[in-house]
Amino acid sequence: MTESAPDLLQRKIIHIDMDAFFASVEQRDDPELQGKPVAVGGSSKRGVVAAASYEAREYGVRSAMPSITAKRRCPDLIFVKHRFHVYREVSQQIRAIFRMHSELVEPLSLDEAFIDVTQDKMGIGNATRIAEMIRAEIKKQTNLTASAGVSYNKFLAKIASDQNKPDGICVIKPHQGADFVAQLPVRRFFGVGPKTAERMAKLNIHNGADLRAQSEDFLRQHFGKSAGYLFRASRGVDHREVRADRIRKSVGGERTYGDDLVTDSDLQDAFENIIDIVWNSIEKSGARGRTVTLKAKYADFRQVTRSHSVDHYVADKNEFAAIGRELLEQIMPVENGVRLLGLTLANLEGAEAADARSTASVHDANQSTFDFD
Amino acid sequence: MKATIERAALLKSLGHVQSVVERRNTIPILSNVLIEASDGGGIKLMATDLDLQVVETVEAQVETAGSITVSAHTLFDIARKLPDGSQVQMDAADGKMKVNAGRARFNLQTLPRDDFPIIAEGDLPTRFELPATSLIQIIDKTKFAISTEETRYYLNGIFLHVQDEDTPVLKAAATDGHRLARVTLPRPAGAEGMPDVIVPRKCVNELRKLLDENSESSVQIDLSASKIRFTLGSAILTSKLIDGTFPDYTRVIPTGNDKLLKIDPKSFAQGVDRVSTIATEKTRAVKMALGDDKITLSVTSPENGKAEEEVPGSYTEEAFEIGFNSRYLMDILSEIEGDTVELHLADAGAPTLIRENDKSAALYVLMPMRV
């Protein structure tokens, strides 16, 4: 069968991810901060870390971590306020570098992007060399380092860029894809959070190879609509295209809680944390939107959503938080415990136009494709 | 400008040019047809979408030379509804164009001629001629394989290139990554040294329509690395070429496939068509089980049920099963003219080579589906 055969039109995809982006920019611009543990974000009681320098990471400081926890782990941690206009500028610079090599650039946020270099615009000859040129050019122009993943699909390219971070590169060739995925812990698969990983562990699924041993039916039974993705990804297969015109329709985030939230104050505390995390990713993506949606899942797995639209783009974190709190009040008090809370900003700028453009390009996972390389 | 033209002649030429005009245009002038009447008699009609332009010359009695642009679709609709045999008088003055025929009078809005964009052809150093029948053969046997995926724009057309094999040849190929179609013809005089070009799908479609009415004649082709011009009968079609690199498709044409199936393409296609009745949009896959001198086609759909049909054929290699997208298979089979088609297979995961025989100009490669 064709399972292990490369059954995609062989694409060459690079995933570029800036190393500790916000923190590195701050360290670059303030020599005082160089070599020190730095966190970008608010140091207040409610603040969360938006980005941590590699020095801070050694102490276990991570992005999206409450600032209080971060300070406890690393007492010398220096908090600096974010400067999004600077990050945006750098982001423009690196995107211009990407576009020198391909029209097909899909930014995921200010500091990462997929680049499809199958066409090799500059005629460099191989994708690894292109990735190295991009990294060198980023270093030269911005004095910042980036890591690159090079592979034949988006899933593997993204995983590869994380492999030799910081300032590293990792190439996964078509014949290595399946083996590479086999040894990958399930947590590294997109969409597998701590909760799902726990459920997988109970089923004795720890890595890609374990996942691959399961039938699609089995995966569907246990993991619902992620089944198709998990089935393909565990085989190193990912048919998604790099889409230059892709515009996000929403930005959001959610958390599943180990212990159900029962009291109003537990709920509110957790919610404030969600606001921080989600607003961080909104700022990071540079998105502006008009609709805020709250999602809650109860202990009995019943799910409710509440949303509210305003006639302008949500201006700042305060407005976002205020709308969010109103929505939360609508579902309070909760009779059952809450196991999941999420917030989303939708109706984004530019999304309507993207809707009209998007074409239904259906890829059948079972149809094999030519290997032109 | 003032000219009179026979309704049938106007309708025919407008029919050629108006299909180039996109139905929805953000640039108003692109909705219009340029009408140019010259002193020597005869008028030129021209339409463009900025990538593709058609110019059609028709006989007419010209009273006053001049040029104007009016809505192509409106003028076409008017011509369509006018009584057969009527004489159509077009008279442009003061930003309007009067159209008079029989008892009907129209007064149409116009846009100035100078705003009408014309594709700069530049130098077209390669010139050769192809019989219309050859061009029809190239298009009909490859067009279905052209990719519609806009992100891979370099596959959105037919790739033309010349090669020196035992004898010099001109090859036309199209692929969407799942199937490949290629036609090989003797290289026409004048095509030697021509650049590799990718002719965009819309140009191919318009050309095919024009060829229907000029299937007896030969077509003059002029091209450079960026533009191509087809001259056939009273029409001239000029198109920009796709600026990209077509992949080295020859590498996906299998050479060592040793399992040969010979089968009647008609009963094969009909069988595929019948069993795929069961298939839904999602499961277009048809399974083909090859056994001693027969194949068994089957489709299983979780929603609809099962279908099976046996088709006799000549096959002596080991039995095995392979799956294909039924539509892709039928697209290819419908282009086979003889009463036998050869399928050169390797295994269920490898490309299959399909052709009438080793002398046929057309060759197809089809990737399997997992079933």
Side-chain angles (χ1 to χ4, degrees):
Chain A
M1 290 303 282
T2 55
E3 272 186 9
S4 57
D7 66 345
L8 250 185
L9 178 101
Q10 246 1 274
R11 296 172 200 219
K12 292 175 181 168
I13 294 175
I14 299 175
H15 179 255
I16 295 279
D17 193 4
M18 299 296 290
D19 300 320
F21 185 48
F22 299 169
S24 301
V25 172
E26 296 309 328
Q27 286 181 320
R28 175 192 72 175
D29 295 347
D30 183 355
E32 288 281 293
L33 299 175
Q34 280 161 22
K36 292 184 183 149
V38 175
V40 177
S43 59
S44 72
K45 185 165 158 268
R46 286 253 170 258
V48 292
V49 175
S53 72
Y54 280 93
E55 295 82 1
R57 291 182 193 197
E58 276 178 24
Y59 292 88
V61 176
R62 299 276 177 273
S63 51
M65 176 181 276
S67 299
I68 293 186
T69 316
K71 191 83 188 167
R72 196 163 52 231
R73 291 203 179 171
C74 175
D76 295 331
L77 190 61
I78 306 167
F79 281 92
V80 288
K81 236 175 109 39
H82 57 65
R83 295 180 300 150
F84 274 99
H85 64 282
V86 182
Y87 311 148
R88 253 182 227 118
E89 237 166 66
V90 178
S91 186
Q92 302 279 332
Q93 271 179 299
I94 63 171
R95 284 179 196 174
I97 297 171
F98 302 156
R99 290 206 185 89
M100 283 164 43
H101 293 275
S102 174
E103 306 300 332
L104 288 176
V105 176
E106 178 181 327
L108 297 177
S109 64
L110 291 176
D111 66 334
E112 38 170 338
F114 285 115
I115 310 154
D116 185 327
V117 294
T118 317
Q119 265 293 73
D120 192 3
K121 195 169 156 188
M122 305 221 326
I124 307 301
N126 90 52
T128 310
R129 204 144 80 227
I130 298 175
E132 282 299 15
M133 285 175 70
I134 291 176
R135 279 173 11 90
E137 192 61 29
I138 290 176
K139 180 90 200 179
K140 194 174 131 206
Q141 285 192 26
T142 69
N143 204 16
L144 294 167
T145 63
S147 295
V150 184
S151 196
Y152 58 95
N153 65 39
K154 284 165 97 171
F155 167 64
L156 289 170
K158 179 152 166 105
I159 284 177
S161 71
D162 205 31
Q163 200 65 15
N164 295 321
K165 249 181 178 303
D167 202 8
I169 183 168
C170 171
V171 182
I172 303 175
K173 300 223 161 88
H175 66 274
Q176 303 164 329
D179 289 344
F180 189 89
V181 177
Q183 50 80 35
L184 210 62
V186 288
R187 277 291 270 126
R188 295 278 298 278
F189 286 77
F190 174 79
V192 179
K195 276 269 154 184
T196 310
E198 213 173 277
R199 267 166 47 221
M200 286 184 173
K202 281 191 189 131
L203 295 164
N204 243 333
I205 301 171
H206 304 283
N207 56 33
D210 299 336
L211 261 183
R212 185 176 176 152
Q214 311 304 327
S215 72
E216 200 170 351
D217 281 344
F218 177 89
L219 294 175
R220 192 164 312 279
Q221 196 185 321
H222 290 276
F223 307 108
K225 63 181 177 191
S226 326
Y229 162 77
L230 291 170
F231 184 81
R232 286 190 296 274
S234 64
R235 283 157 179 75
V237 174
D238 177 4
H239 297 283
R240 291 171 304 158
E241 283 168 34
V242 173
R243 304 213 38 176
D245 56 356
R246 210 192 88 169
I247 294 181
R248 290 183 83 150
K249 291 183 184 158
S250 65
V251 197
E254 57 185 47
R255 284 282 176 281
T256 308
Y257 299 97
D259 297 313
D260 292 346
L261 309 168
V262 184
T263 68
D264 284 1
S265 68
D266 279 356
L267 204 56
Q268 276 157 344
D269 280 353
F271 191 67
E272 292 301 321
N273 181 246
I274 297 263
I275 291 175
D276 288 338
I277 293 166
V278 173
W279 187 254
N280 255 329
S281 46
I282 290 169
E283 285 208 303
K284 201 176 164 201
S285 70
R288 305 204 301 151
R290 294 191 282 116
T291 303
V292 181
T293 305
L294 165 78
K295 170 171 148 187
K297 213 184 247 179
Y298 297 114
D300 58 4
F301 286 90
R302 223 160 29 86
Q303 183 181 309
V304 293
T305 56
R306 292 283 178 273
S307 60
H308 181 74
S309 296
V310 287
D311 57 4
H312 54 270
Y313 293 118
V314 174
D316 54 19
K317 187 175 175 182
N318 287 338
E319 186 179 5
F320 180 70
I323 297 172
R325 286 184 203 115
E326 265 172 44
L327 294 171
L328 185 70
E329 268 167 34
Q330 288 178 22
I331 65 161
M332 290 204 321
V334 292
E335 296 167 25
N336 258 308
V338 168
R339 60 188 311 275
L340 174 148
L341 274 181
L343 260 184
T344 310
L345 181 68
N347 237 328
L348 299 187
E349 206 173 11
E352 298 90 346
D355 264 351
R357 259 204 314 270
S358 80
T359 49
S361 133
V362 184
H363 275 279
D364 194 311
N366 291 321
Q367 172 68 54
S368 10
T369 348
F370 292 131
D371 175 358
F372 282 127
D373 293 296
Chain B
M1 184 199 86
K2 196 168 180 183
T4 308
I5 179 174
E6 214 266 318
R7 179 251 180 189
L10 178 67
L11 183 63
K12 187 171 154 229
S13 341
L14 277 174
H16 294 159
V17 300
Q18 63 97 25
S19 61
V20 171
V21 176
E22 297 283 346
R23 278 280 160 194
R24 278 185 201 84
N25 264 312
T26 43
I27 309 171
I29 191 91
L30 295 183
S31 303
N32 281 13
V33 55
L34 170 66
I35 306 168
E36 218 168 56
S38 51
D39 276 326
I43 61 173
K44 269 198 325 196
L45 298 167
M46 181 169 181
T48 182
D49 71 356
L50 293 179
D51 290 326
L52 178 67
Q53 82 185 13
V54 183
V55 183
E56 180 91 19
T57 312
V58 244
E59 278 196 29
Q61 293 156 327
V62 178
E63 220 170 289
T64 322
S67 49
I68 195 71
T69 84
V70 294
S71 161
H73 291 130
T74 309
L75 190 60
F76 177 65
D77 283 344
I78 291 172
R80 210 163 43 82
K81 292 173 184 173
L82 288 174
D84 199 21
S86 53
Q87 295 291 318
V88 186
Q89 192 192 69
M90 296 185 288
D91 185 356
D94 303 328
K96 293 274 163 45
M97 186 174 92
K98 286 189 201 130
V99 181
N100 296 342
R103 290 189 295 267
R105 309 262 176 279
F106 299 89
N107 203 1
L108 303 178
Q109 295 287 1
T110 66
L111 286 170
R113 182 249 180 280
D114 289 344
D115 293 354
F116 195 86
I118 289 171
I119 295 179
E121 289 176 344
D123 208 17
L124 302 175
T126 299
R127 167 177 291 194
F128 57 92
E129 282 194 8
L130 273 179
T133 47
S134 300
L135 215 43
I136 289 174
Q137 184 188 21
I138 285 177
I139 295 175
D140 289 353
K141 298 205 180 309
T142 58
K143 198 179 89 165
F144 66 86
I146 298 174
S147 171
T148 51
E149 213 181 301
E150 282 175 21
T151 48
R152 292 219 295 273
Y153 57 92
Y154 48 92
L155 298 182
N156 295 166
I158 296 178
F159 179 56
L160 294 178
H161 64 128
V162 289
Q163 236 170 21
D164 279 321
E165 294 184 338
D166 301 339
T167 56
V169 289
L170 169 71
K171 291 180 175 178
T175 181
D176 63 1
H178 304 312
R179 57 240 170 104
L180 168 83
R182 186 186 71 184
V183 172
T184 306
L185 299 172
R187 188 183 70 201
E192 58 275 7
M194 71 169 241
D196 295 355
V197 296
I198 309 169
V199 185
R201 186 179 44 241
K202 187 169 175 188
C203 174
V204 169
N205 287 335
E206 292 304 320
L207 176 62
R208 185 65 187 82
K209 280 186 229 163
L210 292 173
L211 283 164
D212 264 339
E213 290 170 32
N214 298 280
S215 55
E216 305 298 311
S217 54
S218 77
V219 179
Q220 181 188 313
I221 300 168
D222 294 273
L223 63 86
S224 67
S226 63
K227 308 271 165 47
I228 192 162
R229 185 176 69 202
F230 300 91
T231 310
L232 57 169
S234 57
I236 300 170
L237 182 72
T238 307
S239 174
K240 290 185 185 164
L241 294 163
I242 293 175
D243 183 13
T245 312
F246 203 81
D248 179 9
Y249 70 87
T250 52
R251 306 179 57 169
V252 305
I253 301 175
T255 50
N257 285 5
D258 53 1
K259 299 190 178 77
L260 174 63
L261 164 71
K262 284 188 180 180
I263 194 163
D264 168 33
K266 302 230 165 31
S267 40
F268 187 19
Q270 284 162 3
V272 171
D273 190 21
R274 268 190 292 270
V275 294
S276 61
T277 315
I278 291 293
T280 51
E281 259 316 293
K282 259 188 180 162
T283 58
R284 287 179 304 255
V286 53
K287 185 153 82 180
M288 188 168 123
L290 294 100
D292 262 346
D293 284 339
K294 64 163 191 205
I295 56 167
T296 310
L297 300 166
S298 64
V299 169
T300 310
S301 150
E303 295 107 72
N304 295 339
K306 248 192 104 160
E308 201 178 283
E309 174 161 344
E310 234 172 61
V311 185
S314 137
Y315 184 76
T316 52
E317 302 296 326
E318 66 174 301
F320 83 108
E321 290 181 348
I322 186 168
F324 292 111
N325 179 318
S326 56
R327 232 177 33 213
Y328 293 172
L329 200 52
M330 286 190 287
D331 278 346
I332 294 174
L333 292 175
S334 68
E335 291 305 330
I336 305 284
E337 281 146 17
D339 48 17
T340 318
V341 61
E342 294 180 2
L343 275 77
H344 296 256
L345 302 116
D347 60 64
T352 294
L353 178 82
I354 305 175
R355 65 183 185 201
E356 205 173 315
N357 56 53
D358 59 358
K359 298 194 178 48
S360 41
L363 165 155
Y364 308 94
V365 184
L366 180 58
M367 284 303 276
M369 257 184 119
R370 248 192 318 254
V371 283

